[in-house]
Amino acid sequence: MVDISTKEAYLRMLERVMAEVKTVTGKSGDRVLELRPTIMQTAKHTIITNFRHLAETLNRDPQHLARFIFKESGKAGVLEGERLTIQGKLSNDEIRRLLEIYLKEFVKCPVCGGIDTKIEAEKRFRFLQCDICGAKSSIRKI
Ligand SMILES: [Zn+2]
């Protein structure tokens, strides 16, 4: 014999869980990335203390993201553990802008706008391969 009240409580709980899962994942194409760099300024350096986490959020190799920032800002630096130390000054706005450019150029599919992509190498060419729409777009090598 099934205990109705328990079964109802179970179904209600299941419904709640399903609703929560739905709001968290949404449709893969609509997934929005929130990049929140934590930035520390010293006299000679700019340090992004959660750099590796940012790269993970973008699903990219931290070395690739670091090379991009060095190249775009014209500054040198070093990736150590979680943090990226940049020689010289970069304002919070400049860092946010660089992350936006990286997201647009190396993460977001230009065809469908999805962010479930990966970088593929073919000889000396680099491509952005989209897992959602299957588009393959050429990108520059960093
Ligand atoms: Zn796509």
Side-chain angles (χ1 to χ4, degrees):
M1 197 181 107
V2 181
D3 182 340
I4 300 289
S5 62
T6 309
K7 194 180 167 196
E8 269 174 8
Y10 171 72
L11 285 175
R12 270 201 303 276
M13 186 199 78
L14 198 66
E15 251 170 40
R16 259 203 321 274
V17 171
M18 293 305 280
E20 274 168 22
V21 169
K22 230 167 122 184
T23 40
V24 172
T25 50
K27 247 174 45 208
S28 57
D30 297 340
R31 209 146 56 81
V32 176
L33 280 185
E34 271 203 84
L35 295 173
R36 292 187 183 171
T38 312
I39 301 156
M40 244 172 63
Q41 304 276 359
T42 68
K44 290 181 179 167
H45 299 105
T46 305
I47 304 159
I48 307 176
T49 57
N50 62 341
F51 186 78
R52 201 167 284 271
H53 176 74
L54 291 174
E56 275 166 19
T57 306
L58 291 163
N59 195 23
R60 288 295 174 267
D61 178 5
Q63 296 286 355
H64 185 264
L65 179 55
R67 281 201 304 275
F68 168 82
I69 288 179
F70 297 151
K71 196 170 181 174
E72 290 297 302
S73 66
K75 296 186 189 302
V78 61
L79 177 64
E80 269 177 323
E82 176 68 29
R83 53 173 56 191
L84 182 76
T85 304
I86 301 156
Q87 284 175 24
K89 293 277 185 191
L90 270 183
S91 72
N92 293 10
D93 281 351
E94 283 172 308
I95 290 170
R96 283 203 192 86
R97 193 177 54 84
L98 287 175
L99 289 172
E100 285 301 319
I101 295 170
Y102 185 87
L103 174 67
K104 201 170 164 231
E105 198 176 341
F106 296 100
V107 182
K108 229 175 202 173
C109 169
V111 177
C112 73
I115 53 171
D116 293 308
T117 60
K118 52 183 175 291
I119 292 177
E120 282 181 354
E122 272 173 40
K123 291 178 188 162
R124 57 196 182 84
F125 300 104
R126 297 291 178 274
F127 297 95
L128 194 64
Q129 174 73 52
C130 179
D131 286 343
I132 300 165
C133 76
K136 191 171 168 181
S137 321
S138 104
I139 52 171
R140 67 185 155 126
K141 191 180 173 186
I142 288 287

